Amino acid sequence: MSTDRYPFREIEAKWQRTWEEMKQFRVQEDPSRPKFYCLEMFPYPSGRIHMGHVRVYAIGDLLARYKWMRGYNVLHPMGWDAFGLPAENAAIEHGVHPVIWTYENIDYMRSQLQKMGISYDWDREVATCDPTYYKWEQLIFIKMLERGLAYRKRSTVNWCPSCQTVLANEQVEDGRCWRCNSEVMPREIDSWFFKITAYAEELLAWCDRLPGWPERVLTMQRNWIGKSEGAEFDLKVDGQPDLSIRVFTTRPDTVFGMAYAVLAPEHPLVDRVVRDPAEREAVARFRAEVSRQSEIERTAADRPKRGLRLSAKVVNPFTNTPVPLFLADYVLMGYGTGAIMAVPGEDERDWEFAEQHGLPIIETVQRPDGWTGKAYTGDGVKINSGFLDGLAVAEAKRRATDWLVSHGVGIGKVNYRLRDWGISRQRYWGAPIPVLYCDKDGMVPEAEKNLPVALPRDVQLSGKGGSPLASVASFVNATCPKCGGPAKRETDTMDTFVESSWYFLRYCSPRYDTGMFEANAAAYWMPVDQYIGGIEHAVLHLLYARFYTKVLRDLGLTKIDEPFMALLSQGMVIKDGAKMSKSKGNVVSDDYVREKYGADTGRLFELFAAPPEKDLEWNDQGIEGASRFLNRVWRFVIAHLDEIKAAPAAAPASLSDAGRAFRRTIHETIQRVTDDIEREFHFNTAIAAIMELVNALQAFEAAAGDGARTTPEHAALMREAVETTLHLLGPFCPHVTEELWEQLGHRESLFKQRWPVADPAALQKTEVTVVVQVDGKVRGRLQVGVDAADDQVRQLALGDDRVKPWVERRRIEKVVVVPNRLVNIVTRA
Ligand SMILES: [Zn+2]
Ligand SMILES: [Zn+2]
């Protein structure tokens, strides 16, 4: 290499080859050592890794290597979330089969990750589109079916017209498809669900027991689960004694303020309440209008609420007065009971609706002084509320619920916003749902011995709608495992989020072929100690994986309650003001950075440019700076190889002042870098500390005179500083540090060395600055030995040249010594 850059190409290739040959990151269970399971969310094999993706792998590799050096047995696997729509869409566009497209991308992306030198145990690689993988989730599906945790139901679901498939609620953001951003439409369809709602309470409760998770993610999950406590009770329909409507409210204390009630347009009681033919027609028209909106639109806060007033009324059970009854789009059949009592005084939506429809508004909570808003949802004293008057809201809620219970009209009730997870996809490239439909036996799960139900290779993909599998006769026409007669296979495939709900378990024993995972291996490695991935999965993958783990636990497969002990959600990589992505055309390719600067430089830049949880702005100066730093380290170490190799292994016990100060810098750096990695993931400040150490090293070398330079002290400290630098920098930039480590004459890998520990003796400050005050004013500063005797400090203070003029010719009343900090002298004339 003739350029000014160190030979990173040769070095990186050499060490990737060596680590591979040594099988350095291949691991096995070893009960004698503490384990650390370090995991980055596995990628979808979409094509190419770019610098927007590199960040998460750089963070994972840094933590894995750091933990190796701390003596842990580290599991750091990688695989592919390989099912999904892009493969199918590419097939439709370019005529290449999804399986070919997927495995070609996997091969390319694997080679990229290998050229980055990430410390993966490649023996554990899994691809979720492999039948030996999805076989096991088909088995679990059948077990879930037996327990009622998987079920099929006709319901209104979210339909993405562009992706031509159903989406789960978690996959709809502001009414749009999470993948393609198309507007989602409601559609009534038979489809499969996982009963995640059965775990709502546990999922919520564990949000308080995951201290290693970012609070932001836990809050998003809590809100998504949306627990609300309240009461459920009956409203009698006025004049129809046999009819009553069940409502749910979180505010039973506000019943005295009920201005009207609302039924969801889909509510089955509507047809009984409405009997007049003309009114029925109006209802049908209203329902048709509402059915054109998605749930998200219907419940959006910022749009007018549509309502249809019915001729029937309902009776307020507390006051026995009839109030109007409406159908309104903002009440959904799927939440609570599909009917509400409306209390505009204390509910914003109801207030708006009441204003739009000229309904009375009764306030039942005393407003705070100066209140100018509309509905008031805060605490206060109850008013206009009969027997609840004068009570605080919480107590009034209890009393109102007691009243409903004792009068036989209602019960206390908890509701959740969370809905069951819709897992049916009307697409090809996914795991087949392992059930059949037999004329004689109805729906029948596939027999265990027939698993996997493999995805047929031969399929016509048109993207024109309908499950592609339905047109594959050899797949559809099958044998009923129960009666042996003809049966038709289910043609929906599973949501790909099912595969990602357990891949971390599969990594524990990826080749195990008699079950999902080997119990002892999983017991050793699980749970994941550090999980790293984007915030966009807060209520998607991260919720599903928690649920699925609990299901596996309840099926007796694992003992863990939660899959991920700690979570780091890295920020995005931004370029030209937008998230780096292929579709935005602002991608910096990993290949380009690696070719021009080396993989270590790309990683160092991304770890240095911002704290991991913050967004990172790509800039070319930054990467140049990272490159300059590594070259500086390289040149310095190479220039001093002989001196360092000849140096004593340890610094002498007694050091010169300069030597002691330099050694303190070395050990302070160890402490700072360790704390920054360990406590708060402040990788950027850790790197800054290493850079300061390198500056100090160069200054130490430059300041030493020729005589000093040849002393054992100098050589020993140079060695200590250089070796410490390589240790600390190793997990950030593994190739260049490993090479320099070898150049220093070491035979064993840098990553088999122990992470340095700061020497308390070296950290000790030998002198401190003590401030001298005379009559409350600072008059001098003393350099004294740490923990010097009070008497000695007092003498030094009184004898100090800057202090003397302020105490001479005055009587000294009192001298107070605060050790290591202050001498306070009080005088009198
Ligand atoms: Zn879509
Ligand atoms: Zn049958």
Coordinates of all heavy atoms in Angstrom, one line a residue, residues 160 162-163 167 177 179-182, ligand 1:
C160 N -55.2 -4.4 3.1 CA -54.4 -3.5 2.3 C -54.6 -3.9 0.8 O -54.3 -5.0 0.4 CB -52.9 -3.7 2.6 SG -51.9 -2.7 1.5
S162 N -53.2 -2.8 -1.8 CA -52.0 -2.9 -2.6 C -51.2 -4.2 -2.2 O -50.8 -4.9 -3.1 CB -51.1 -1.7 -2.3 OG -49.8 -1.9 -2.6
C163 N -51.1 -4.5 -1.0 CA -50.4 -5.8 -0.6 C -51.4 -7.0 -0.8 O -50.9 -8.1 -0.7 CB -50.0 -5.7 0.9 SG -48.7 -4.5 1.2
L167 N -54.1 -7.3 7.3 CA -53.1 -6.8 8.3 C -53.6 -6.9 9.7 O -54.8 -6.7 9.9 CB -52.7 -5.4 7.9 CG -52.2 -5.1 6.5 CD1 -52.1 -3.6 6.4 CD2 -50.9 -5.7 6.3
C177 N -51.1 1.1 5.7 CA -50.3 -0.2 5.8 C -48.9 0.2 6.2 O -48.3 1.1 5.7 CB -50.3 -0.8 4.4 SG -49.2 -2.2 4.3
R179 N -46.3 -1.4 5.7 CA -45.3 -1.8 4.7 C -45.3 -0.8 3.5 O -44.3 -0.3 3.1 CB -45.6 -3.2 4.3 CG -44.9 -3.6 3.0 CD -45.3 -4.9 2.5 NE -45.0 -5.9 3.5 CZ -43.8 -6.2 3.9 NH1 -42.8 -5.6 3.3 NH2 -43.6 -7.1 4.8
C180 N -46.5 -0.6 3.0 CA -46.5 0.1 1.7 C -47.2 1.4 1.8 O -47.3 2.2 0.8 CB -47.2 -0.8 0.6 SG -49.0 -0.9 0.9
N181 N -47.8 1.8 3.0 CA -48.4 3.1 3.2 C -49.7 3.3 2.5 O -50.2 4.4 2.4 CB -47.3 4.2 2.9 CG -47.6 5.4 3.7 OD1 -48.0 5.3 4.9 ND2 -47.4 6.6 3.2
S182 N -50.3 2.3 1.9 CA -51.6 2.4 1.2 C -52.6 2.6 2.3 O -52.5 2.0 3.4 CB -51.9 1.2 0.4 OG -51.0 0.9 -0.5
Ligands
ZN1 ZN -49.7 -2.7 2.0

